[in-house]
Amino acid sequence: MPTTSTEEAVKKVLDFVNAHADEYSERELDYLRTNAAWGIICEEPFRVYDILRQIYGEFDLIPEHQDMHQAFIKILEENFDINRDIIEVAGGIVPDLGKKLAARQKTGTLTVYDPRLITSIKTPENMVLKKEHFGKKTPLGDAKMLIAFMPCDLAPTLIDIACKNDLDFMIALCEGGARTGYEWIEEDDEWIGYMTYSASRGIEKSKMGTL
């Protein structure tokens, strides 16, 4: 992480927000402008909402040991081959995770789906941005793996798609958040248990190996 003064860092964040104001709701803009410095000053950037954390990541303002996206990639590399065609779903408005993963790939591509993606952001050549929803009818191309970082209630669909198409997958589940259609699951540990069970059953049924 390069040395950047708090004032310089906040200016970068606010300049970015103002340049892309059309991509955010009024409520989101108010949050971003009010809290732009918070994660930097308190030295806990991982505690801010993802829409701000993504912008911090864009300007390399998060120390690696506090970067949840870097931690996700580290686990991914320890368990899977990242040098192949991968699809990331719910990549965020600013595709910070996708950019960092694509930069580490020696071969293969990283295709990111999110209906709110800012597609004008500079990305590695092997990265493709799809500003659209990802669903069961979305073409998978030559993808060999599906990943997602806190996709909320989309997680069950992604598990189903991965298992039915024999794709490796890795999903970081949300804590709380929106679980439309799953309101009967109140606690995070219940959600984790339900997703783990669904993934295990899907893998077993498709004879994909182990979870």
Side-chain angles (χ1 to χ4, degrees), residues 62-106:
I62 305 177
E64 186 170 349
H65 70 281
Q66 293 181 315
D67 190 332
M68 290 192 288
H69 290 163
Q70 292 283 19
F72 181 93
I73 292 171
K74 181 180 179 180
I75 295 172
L76 185 65
E77 287 185 297
E78 289 173 350
N79 292 275
F80 298 97
D81 176 14
I82 66 168
N83 297 307
R84 49 185 176 161
D85 293 343
I86 299 173
I87 291 176
E88 180 194 358
V89 182
I93 300 173
V94 181
D96 178 55
L97 170 60
K99 287 181 64 174
K100 289 171 177 173
L101 177 57
R104 295 185 67 83
Q105 287 182 303
K106 296 178 181 178

Side-chain angles (χ1 to χ4, degrees), residues 131-167:
K131 190 171 184 175
E132 58 189 80
H133 288 281
F134 181 91
K136 293 184 177 181
K137 295 184 179 180
T138 302
L140 300 174
D142 295 325
K144 298 294 186 294
M145 185 169 194
L146 197 62
I147 65 170
F149 187 84
M150 298 186 182
C152 295
D153 56 14
L154 191 57
T157 299
L158 300 183
I159 291 172
D160 184 59
I161 292 173
C163 292
K164 287 183 177 178
N165 291 277
D166 195 23
L167 300 178

Side-chain angles (χ1 to χ4, degrees), residues 4-172:
T4 305
S5 70
T6 299
E7 184 178 348
E8 292 173 330
V10 173
K11 185 179 186 304
K12 288 181 179 181
V13 172
L14 291 176
D15 285 349
F16 181 92
V17 171
N18 292 331
H20 300 283
D22 290 346
E23 305 290 347
Y24 297 95
S25 69
E26 287 300 319
R27 183 176 181 180
E28 290 170 337
L29 287 172
D30 180 64
Y31 171 80
L32 291 169
R33 289 165 176 159
T34 301
N35 296 281
W38 190 83
I40 300 169
I41 294 173
C42 74
E43 298 183 348
E44 293 185 331
F46 56 90
R47 293 189 180 277
V48 301
Y49 288 152
D50 56 354
I51 58 170
L52 179 52
R53 190 169 60 246
Q54 291 164 8
I55 301 174
Y56 285 168
E58 177 70 9
F59 296 106
D60 197 21
L61 299 175
I62 305 177
E64 186 170 349
H65 70 281
Q66 293 181 315
D67 190 332
M68 290 192 288
H69 290 163
Q70 292 283 19
F72 181 93
I73 292 171
K74 181 180 179 180
I75 295 172
L76 185 65
E77 287 185 297
E78 289 173 350
N79 292 275
F80 298 97
D81 176 14
I82 66 168
N83 297 307
R84 49 185 176 161
D85 293 343
I86 299 173
I87 291 176
E88 180 194 358
V89 182
I93 300 173
V94 181
D96 178 55
L97 170 60
K99 287 181 64 174
K100 289 171 177 173
L101 177 57
R104 295 185 67 83
Q105 287 182 303
K106 296 178 181 178
T107 59
T109 61
L110 193 286
T111 303
V112 181
Y113 284 85
D114 197 296
R116 298 188 62 190
L117 270 175
I118 296 177
T119 57
S120 59
I121 289 176
K122 185 177 181 181
T123 60
E125 292 184 0
N126 59 317
M127 186 173 177
V128 180
L129 301 181
K130 297 280 191 178
K131 190 171 184 175
E132 58 189 80
H133 288 281
F134 181 91
K136 293 184 177 181
K137 295 184 179 180
T138 302
L140 300 174
D142 295 325
K144 298 294 186 294
M145 185 169 194
L146 197 62
I147 65 170
F149 187 84
M150 298 186 182
C152 295
D153 56 14
L154 191 57
T157 299
L158 300 183
I159 291 172
D160 184 59
I161 292 173
C163 292
K164 287 183 177 178
N165 291 277
D166 195 23
L167 300 178
D168 287 337
F169 63 94
M170 178 169 155
I171 301 172

